[in-house]
Amino acid sequence: MKNLYKCVLVLLALSSASLSRSQVSLNSYSSASAVILLDFTGHSVSGTMWNVSGAFTCNSSGLSDAAITEVFNRVAEDYRPFNINVTTDEAKYNAAPANRRIRVVITTSNEWYGSGAGGVAYINSFTWGDNTPCFVFSALLNYNVKNIAEATSHEAGHTLGLRHQSTYNASCVKTSDYNWGYGSGEIGWAPIMGAAYGQNMSLWNSGPNSLGCNSIQSDLNIITNSTNGFGYRTDDHTDTYSSATNASFNTDNQFTISGVVERNDDKDLFKFTLPVFGRLQLNAVPYNVGASNSGSDLDLQVEFLDGSYTTIGTYNPGNLLSSVIDTLISAGTYYLRIDGKGNIYAPEYGSLGSYSLQATFTDGNILPIRRLELRGRLDGDLHSLNWLIEADEQVIKQVIEVSTNGITFIALDQPVNALRTYSYRPPDTRPLLYRMHVTLDNSKEYFSNVIAIRQGKSSKPQLIGNVITGNSLVVNSPGICQYQVIDQKGRMLSKGNIEKGYTSINTGITTTGIYIIRFTDGEQQWSEKFIKR
């Protein structure tokens, strides 16, 4: 049965855009036979389910070439895990099997349909084989590039069989046909099949759709089903030590390598060898179209292992999608394991997409400073640091630097030059990263390895009893945290803030069962189960 599915979008302030009848030729995965064509040039529609009142012609998108390229890049990243080519090339569409292609017409023409929707599609029309397109109305979306891209991925998703990801309250009453997501910043999240216009991280999701609170829609399973006729891309990097991808440093002691996390259980393993002691700096960056990882679909975690497969460290800054390693290491063989993870807002389910690793190695044996090593530990609620400096030159300045994300470091304190220990009590319980910034009397500056100190288990909020008969929970927290109460289907029932000490929480629960409360301090996350009787 062919069902019409309409998507109504938020309209924002009008911005100027230049008309474009030409179309740059772009392909996300040229070898794939299945195709999503992004048509920005205008299109005549006839002989389809849309033509009950006759043929009509759609104008071009009204977007500049730069805007077209950004829309393409955003949509291509949404469909990167799959064996499908997102393209602007009409020839690729024409060469694809008739029942393995869809045209998304991005147009200023909406008069034939009306002004109540930013896009429209028939569910499952990808496989109809009769050239039925779907539409995104660029003028009604105020030529906003992000919103046009979100609508394009969304409408194409409908043609692949997806309905809206919706939200419901604890009584299974629909609160919105669109899941608008939650959070802010880089990791603010919403489903692609919801309404992701106000969030940076829009992902495929598994959650209740528009048919009811018990109708759980796994976007990934539907997109890759046998009806659509394409699945995931072939895994590009193994997670097996014996066949790990080798990353070789060039003559500048650098390497750049890229990959795709295609499935939510996919991990990519890379191997490299250092001939001598030195400093390793690594940036692991998800694909993006601008500052603050705009348009990224992947929250990167990097696990760093030595040649005996022992984990040296795991890097995944809580409020960022990228990860950084900056450390001093001995000669030997090492491994990097890349994984897509969830965060305090986004589930791990849809954390998929492409990334790049950029590494630089500096030979420690050629540095005037022979050794600069920082160590640290948690001593009660104190962070205690000590460091070793071996150099022929005199230390004229040493600064302890601290970071919450591993990228931006700020000065914490400047101990006297002879001191090699330092302790203090941080203002909150977030995990912190430290390094030493040392200046010698030859005016050269050096940085130590980076270490992380996390609070012990005592920093975790504690439930006072895990069985309730009413709808209130009592929590004892060592600091300020946020909480979410979630049922076993992943629906959020309530959320809010808790203060240090004892707090009574209204859970919003009306029925008996097992529930989860999730806490976060902005960096760490904890979950506990409790029972409502």
Side-chain angles (χ1 to χ4, degrees):
M1 181 178 179
K2 296 180 177 181
N3 294 319
L4 181 64
Y5 213 71
K6 183 173 69 174
C7 178
V8 180
L9 304 176
V10 175
L11 303 181
L12 303 179
L14 185 64
S15 60
S16 63
S18 60
L19 293 176
S20 174
R21 290 293 300 180
S22 63
Q23 181 153 307
V24 290
S25 181
L26 302 166
N27 292 280
S28 68
Y29 199 37
S30 293
S31 62
S33 60
V35 163
I36 297 174
L37 173 67
L38 309 188
D39 187 344
F40 296 91
T41 62
H43 184 62
S44 295
V45 185
S46 62
T48 75
M49 292 284 289
W50 301 110
N51 299 113
V52 292
S53 299
F56 58 90
T57 298
C58 292
N59 293 329
S60 62
S61 66
L63 299 178
S64 67
D65 283 350
I68 287 171
T69 300
E70 182 175 332
V71 170
F72 167 84
N73 286 333
R74 286 177 175 272
V75 176
E77 186 62 15
D78 289 340
Y79 287 90
R80 192 85 66 193
F82 312 118
N83 187 22
I84 192 168
N85 184 23
V86 177
T87 183
T88 61
D89 187 346
E90 183 88 19
K92 290 288 188 182
Y93 175 84
N94 291 333
N99 63 344
R100 296 290 182 269
R101 66 188 188 189
I102 192 68
R103 180 191 300 268
V104 186
V105 181
I106 301 164
T107 176
T108 59
S109 303
N110 63 277
E111 297 83 359
W112 62 273
Y113 186 75
S115 60
V120 67
Y122 279 106
I123 288 180
N124 293 318
S125 53
F126 179 82
T127 61
W128 289 357
D130 62 357
N131 292 315
T132 296
C134 64
F135 302 87
V136 171
F137 303 127
S138 54
L140 294 181
L141 293 170
N142 295 328
Y143 304 100
N144 181 287
V145 172
K146 172 177 166 55
N147 287 357
I148 291 170
E150 295 292 352
T152 300
S153 292
H154 180 109
E155 298 305 334
H158 282 316
T159 74
L160 295 168
L162 298 177
R163 297 179 180 273
H164 289 154
Q165 292 278 348
S166 305
T167 55
Y168 298 82
N169 64 20
S171 301
C172 267
V173 175
K174 185 186 290 186
T175 56
S176 174
D177 202 53
Y178 299 87
N179 185 334
W180 291 81
Y182 50 93
S184 60
E186 283 191 28
I187 61 174
W189 164 86
I192 291 171
M193 297 311 297
Y197 312 111
Q199 301 293 0
N200 180 57
M201 201 178 186
S202 57
L203 306 180
W204 304 111
N205 189 47
S206 181
N209 67 15
S210 54
L211 297 180
C213 70
N214 294 313
S215 180
I216 304 301
Q217 175 175 286
S218 172
D219 292 348
L220 298 177
N221 289 349
I222 293 174
I223 290 171
T224 59
N225 66 21
S226 59
T227 301
N228 288 328
F230 64 90
Y232 293 96
R233 289 193 187 203
T234 302
D235 190 17
D236 54 353
H237 301 289
T238 181
D239 188 30
T240 304
Y241 291 106
S242 60
S243 56
T245 300
N246 188 57
S248 300
F249 288 92
N250 61 21
T251 55
D252 295 323
N253 283 332
Q254 297 178 337
F255 73 71
T256 299
I257 199 164
S258 60
V260 179
V261 176
E262 299 94 359
R263 302 172 184 247
N264 46 31
D265 60 353
D266 178 35
K267 296 179 178 63
D268 293 349
L269 192 66
F270 300 92
K271 176 182 178 181
F272 65 91
T273 301
L274 298 181
V276 295
F277 165 81
R279 180 184 184 186
L280 176 71
Q281 296 170 285
L282 178 98
N283 288 323
V285 183
Y287 179 84
N288 63 79
V289 298
S292 300
N293 288 314
S294 177
S296 294
D297 287 16
L298 180 63
D299 189 341
L300 274 174
Q301 176 173 287
V302 181
E303 185 182 3
F304 186 31
L305 307 99
D306 64 19
S308 62
Y309 316 142
T310 300
T311 299
I312 299 172
T314 300
Y315 302 84
N316 183 10
N319 57 353
L320 299 177
L321 301 179
S322 52
S323 293
V324 172
I325 297 175
D326 186 347
T327 189
L328 295 173
I329 53 177
S330 301
T333 297
Y334 295 90
Y335 295 89
L336 299 168
R337 177 175 284 119
I338 308 302
D339 191 8
K341 304 299 285 187
N343 53 56
I344 59 175
Y345 304 129
E348 185 172 347
Y349 173 91
S351 184
L352 307 171
S354 55
Y355 62 89
S356 64
L357 308 178
Q358 299 112 31
T360 300
F361 173 67
T362 305
D363 187 342
N365 295 322
I366 64 174
L367 297 176
I369 192 166
R370 297 191 302 276
R371 190 174 182 187
L372 175 55
E373 183 177 344
L374 177 65
R375 300 186 183 92
R377 62 187 175 86
L378 185 67
D379 186 7
D381 59 353
L382 297 178
H383 287 197
S384 296
L385 307 176
N386 64 86
W387 56 97
L388 179 66
I389 303 175
E390 293 181 359
D392 296 329
E393 306 291 336
Q394 183 178 354
V395 176
I396 62 171
K397 184 180 180 181
Q398 56 179 7
V399 178
I400 301 170
E401 295 184 342
V402 64
S403 172
T404 59
N405 57 30
I407 297 175
T408 304
F409 282 82
I410 61 173
L412 172 65
D413 204 347
Q414 182 179 337
V416 297
N417 295 332
L419 196 66
R420 297 292 182 266
T421 62
Y422 183 86
S423 295
Y424 84 114
R425 180 177 291 104
D428 54 49
T429 60
R430 291 181 296 174
L432 296 173
L433 295 97
Y434 298 94
R435 70 183 183 188
M436 294 299 302
H437 181 182
V438 174
T439 304
L440 303 183
D441 62 3
N442 60 5
S443 299
K444 293 186 177 181
E445 300 179 30
Y446 303 94
F447 294 92
S448 74
N449 57 304
V450 176
I451 64 167
I453 299 181
R454 299 176 180 270
Q455 296 295 97
K457 293 183 178 179
S458 61
S459 67
K460 176 181 175 181
Q462 301 288 329
L463 294 183
I464 307 303
N466 61 356
V467 179
I468 61 173
T469 54
N471 60 1
S472 294
L473 270 176
V474 177
V475 179
N476 184 16
S477 176
I480 298 173
C481 289
Q482 293 78 49
Y483 74 89
Q484 300 167 1
V485 176
I486 302 166
D487 68 13
Q488 292 192 83
K489 293 180 180 178
R491 295 182 304 234
M492 185 174 64
L493 307 180
S494 64
K495 63 180 180 178
N497 298 320
I498 56 175
E499 302 296 326
K500 183 177 181 180
Y502 290 89
T503 303
S504 179
I505 293 172
N506 189 326
T507 62
I509 297 172
T510 58
T511 58
T512 61
I514 299 175
Y515 297 87
I516 296 170
I517 185 166
R518 180 184 297 155
F519 303 100
T520 178
D521 60 5
E523 295 290 339
Q524 300 179 91
Q525 181 175 296
W526 308 271
S527 295
E528 295 283 352
K529 290 184 179 180
F530 65 94
I531 298 171
K532 157 75 173 179
R533 287 183 176 172

